[in-house]
């Protein structure tokens, strides 16, 4: 049987959701037999394969222009897109800056030294969006895994259901934010 | 209230089950007595009903009515759960999340919050309308408590407990629609609200992390929402 190709993406988030994937413990052994990771912070591969993937898990909120491109590509190259964790689902902690002008915020945090010839170095680092957004505000998302981070059991439940060709049944406590 | 059928009791059908209650009871009382759960948010035992949140809406002979504020009447046929009602309840919770600014991950009420629990109960997967990402100023002027209005769901439990149980009338509503806010003494800061007795009943009654004690950290705010009901029951016993 061909292995299911899984990508994971890390946008504006703390990496806790990726840690939670690793926290599925011995289920990792089962998973290793049934899936292969394509691009992911776990494999350090940065770009989506041209041939696409079956499932992409997205951690983090959409906070800058590069994130916009990444989620568009994720949608185009994946059969199923999953928002992994509260930052992806609600914008969560990164959204705390919403309502503050991004340029003013950077100037306040990094001071005048952060500029190149008086300008913010947006050729080197991606420009911040004026408002941090949940992933599904930008692309269609098929499933939502709540939690900060989502419990490993919920991640395993969703992935194994998909591997068995079923719709993950996310109910009750599975839907707890925070 | 007794589940035994008594001649003076009102008899009705809830979710296909024959139910009998004392006259004057609400549909919520009747359902609860029959072991049928109807989700609520603005209802709190011991307080007069506001029927503000519409979580407890049920189908009564084809009409949708709030179970907390509808008297059980002989011969009623009540259905507490249909796909349409479930969609309605989920939409209510969804809009509350969109309208305020709820970041459960670092809320003092994380894990002990009625809104967070309702999201699980009604099956809220994602909020489909844009979040307001509202940023109200927190009033932390009171020495013991603070109010973060971005986490307020306008249930009015603080307003009612303060007026009806404590008798202080410190809390009230200001403005309308998405501008509506709970305020202390005509929008004085809380420490300048001279009517406040600092009894803390609003803290215990508030279902979310909006009115909380100072000095608690993430997920540490555990409240006793049964307090108003117990106080009122004790008073009624005399
Ligand atoms: S008040 Fe409740 S729903 Fe709002 S952030 Fe706090 S825990 Fe979450
Ligand atoms: S502050 Fe709390 S109790 Fe008062 S209306 Fe808001 S959510 Fe309800």
């Amino acid at each position: 049987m061909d292995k299911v190709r899984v990508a994971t993406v890390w946008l504006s988030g703390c990496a806790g959701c990726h840690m939670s994937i690793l926290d599925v413990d011995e289920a990792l052994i089962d998973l290793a037999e049934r899936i292969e990771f394509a691009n992911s912070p776990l494999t350090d591969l940065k770009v989506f394969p041209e041939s696409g993937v079956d499932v992409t898990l997205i951690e983090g909120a959409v906070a800058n222009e590069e994130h916009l491109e990444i989620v568009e590509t994720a949608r185009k190259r994946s059969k199923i897109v999953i928002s992994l964790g509260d930052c992806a689902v609600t914008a969560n902690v990164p959204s705390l800056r919403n309502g503050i002008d991004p340029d003013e915020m950077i100037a306040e945090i990094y001071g005048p030294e952060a500029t190149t010839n008086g300008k913010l170095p947006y050729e080197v680092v991606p420009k911040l969006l004026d408002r941090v957004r949940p992933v599904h505000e930008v692309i269609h998302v098929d499933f939502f895994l709540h939690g900060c981070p989502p419990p490993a059991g919920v991640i395993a439940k969703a992935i194994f259901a998909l591997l068995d060709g079923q719709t993950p049944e996310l109910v009750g406590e599975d839907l707890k934010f925070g | 209230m007794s589940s035994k059928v008594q001649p003076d009791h009102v008899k009705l059908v809830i979710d296909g089950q024959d139910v009998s209650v004392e006259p004057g009871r609400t549909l919520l009382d009747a359902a609860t007595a029959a072991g049928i759960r109807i989700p609520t948010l603005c209802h709190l035992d011991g307080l007069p009903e506001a029927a503000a949140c519409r979580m407890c809406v049920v189908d009564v002979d084809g009409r949708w009515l709030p179970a907390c504020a509808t008297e059980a009447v002989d011969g009623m046929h009540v259905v507490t759960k249909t796909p349409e009602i479930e969609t309605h309840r989920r939409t209510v919770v969804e809009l509350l999340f969109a309208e305020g600014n709820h970041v459960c991950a670092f809320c003092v009420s994380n894990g002990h919050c009625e809104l967070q629990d309702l999201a699980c109960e009604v099956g809220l997967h994602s909020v489909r309308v844009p979040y307001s990402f509202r940023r109200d100023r927190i009033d932390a002027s009171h020495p013991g408590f603070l109010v973060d209005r971005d986490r307020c769901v306008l249930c009015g439990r603080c307003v009612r407990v303060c007026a009806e149980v404590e008798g202080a009338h410190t809390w009230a509503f200001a403005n309308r629609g998405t501008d509506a806010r709970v305020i202390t003494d005509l929008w004085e800061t809380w420490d300048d609200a001279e009517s406040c007795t600092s009894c803390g009943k609003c803290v215990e009654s508030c279902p979310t992390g909006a009115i909380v004690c100072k000095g608690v950290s993430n997920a540490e705010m555990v409240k006793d929402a049964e307090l108003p009901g117990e106080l009122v029951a004790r008073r009624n016993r005399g």
Side-chain angles (χ1 to χ4, degrees):
Chain A
M1 194 174 70
D2 277 353
K3 286 189 173 180
V4 170
R5 290 225 277 181
V6 177
T8 75
V9 168
W10 178 17
L11 309 178
S12 189
C14 72
C17 298
H18 274 82
M19 296 297 136
S20 209
I21 296 177
L22 299 177
D23 270 346
V24 301
D25 296 337
E26 70 271 16
L28 280 174
I29 298 165
D30 270 358
L31 276 180
E33 281 169 12
R34 300 178 71 185
I35 70 173
E36 68 180 347
F37 278 111
N39 52 309
S40 164
L42 303 172
T43 56
D44 213 21
L45 298 173
K46 306 265 188 276
V47 290
F48 276 89
E50 293 280 345
S51 53
V53 300
D54 297 295
V55 181
T56 295
L57 295 147
I58 301 182
E59 168 186 338
V62 177
N64 65 38
E65 286 177 349
E66 186 182 37
H67 294 160
L68 281 178
E69 281 171 34
I70 294 173
V71 294
E72 300 283 359
T73 312
R75 185 64 271 181
K76 278 192 211 114
R77 304 238 172 123
S78 330
K79 291 187 193 135
I80 293 170
V81 171
I82 300 178
S83 275
L84 175 68
D86 282 356
C87 293
V89 179
T90 75
N92 203 32
V93 178
S95 76
L96 283 179
R97 77 156 166 89
N98 288 356
I100 304 172
D101 178 84
D103 288 352
E104 280 173 24
M105 182 180 72
I106 289 175
E108 174 81 24
I109 295 170
Y110 295 102
E113 299 79 29
T115 61
T116 311
N117 302 327
K119 290 197 188 117
L120 290 168
Y122 284 137
E123 272 144 44
V124 192
V125 289
K127 193 164 167 32
L128 294 179
L129 301 176
D130 58 358
R131 177 170 160 283
V132 181
R133 302 155 79 180
V135 174
H136 67 275
E137 234 189 84
V138 185
I139 56 162
H140 174 75
V141 171
D142 300 290
F143 299 105
F144 299 87
L145 303 183
H146 296 188
C148 183
V154 175
I155 300 175
K157 178 176 168 180
I159 292 180
F160 281 114
L162 290 172
L163 288 175
D164 294 336
Q166 284 158 8
T167 303
E169 209 198 327
L170 301 162
V171 292
E173 276 290 291
D174 297 342
L175 295 174
K176 188 172 164 288
F177 292 117
Chain B
M1 205 178 330
S2 152
S3 57
K4 265 187 261 143
V5 180
Q6 293 178 16
D8 61 331
H9 274 199
V10 169
K11 294 168 204 68
L12 64 163
V13 178
I14 306 182
D15 292 347
Q17 199 175 317
D18 289 322
V19 178
S20 126
V21 283
E22 290 163 11
R25 292 309 189 114
T26 65
L27 291 178
L28 182 62
D29 291 333
T32 306
I36 297 167
R37 154 118 185 130
I38 299 174
T40 59
L41 180 59
C42 72
H43 166 85
L44 192 63
D45 282 342
L47 304 187
E49 302 297 350
C53 71
R54 305 328 251 198
M55 278 306 295
C56 71
V57 157
V58 292
D59 185 303
V60 184
D61 298 307
R63 283 176 73 195
W64 282 18
L65 297 169
C68 69
T70 305
E71 192 178 327
V73 173
D74 248 335
M76 273 180 169
H77 279 82
V78 181
V79 181
T80 66
K81 220 174 173 182
T82 65
E84 292 77 19
I85 288 175
E86 288 181 272
T87 302
H88 157 82
R89 289 185 184 141
R90 192 161 48 244
T91 308
V92 168
V93 177
E94 180 176 5
L95 293 177
L96 289 173
F97 272 97
E99 185 178 313
N101 196 347
H102 297 271
V103 184
C104 303
F106 63 87
C107 179
V108 289
S109 288
N110 186 9
H112 315 282
C113 170
E114 291 182 35
L115 182 64
Q116 192 184 32
D117 290 345
L118 279 174
C120 296
E121 183 173 355
V122 302
L124 182 67
H125 288 260
S126 67
V127 171
R128 295 161 300 173
V129 294
Y131 287 97
S132 76
F133 295 116
R134 181 173 111 183
R135 297 170 67 85
D136 249 17
R137 300 214 4 224
I138 291 172
D139 181 349
S141 61
H142 187 283
F145 317 127
L146 65 82
V147 54
D148 178 351
R149 296 181 175 89
D150 289 340
R151 290 170 173 158
C152 168
V153 292
L154 298 171
C155 66
R157 280 159 51 161
C158 55
V159 177
R160 281 174 285 149
V161 79
C162 186
E164 310 291 338
V165 183
E166 179 62 6
H169 296 266
T170 304
W171 290 101
F173 286 112
N175 299 341
R176 299 253 165 191
T178 51
D179 293 329
R181 298 289 186 272
V182 286
I183 59 168
T184 44
D185 276 10
L186 301 176
W187 225 321
E188 295 289 344
T189 51
W190 199 344
D191 66 332
D192 284 332
E194 285 176 17
S195 67
C196 174
T197 62
S198 298
C199 72
K201 291 186 183 71
C202 54
V203 177
E204 305 301 339
S205 303
C206 174
T208 70
I211 303 182
V212 296
C213 292
K214 281 185 168 176
V216 290
S217 179
N218 184 356
E220 288 180 353
M221 186 69 233
V222 182
K223 301 181 181 185
D224 178 12
E226 286 174 11
L227 179 79
E230 283 163 10
L231 287 175
V232 170
R234 250 183 266 161
R235 278 180 203 170
N236 289 345
R237 279 200 297 273

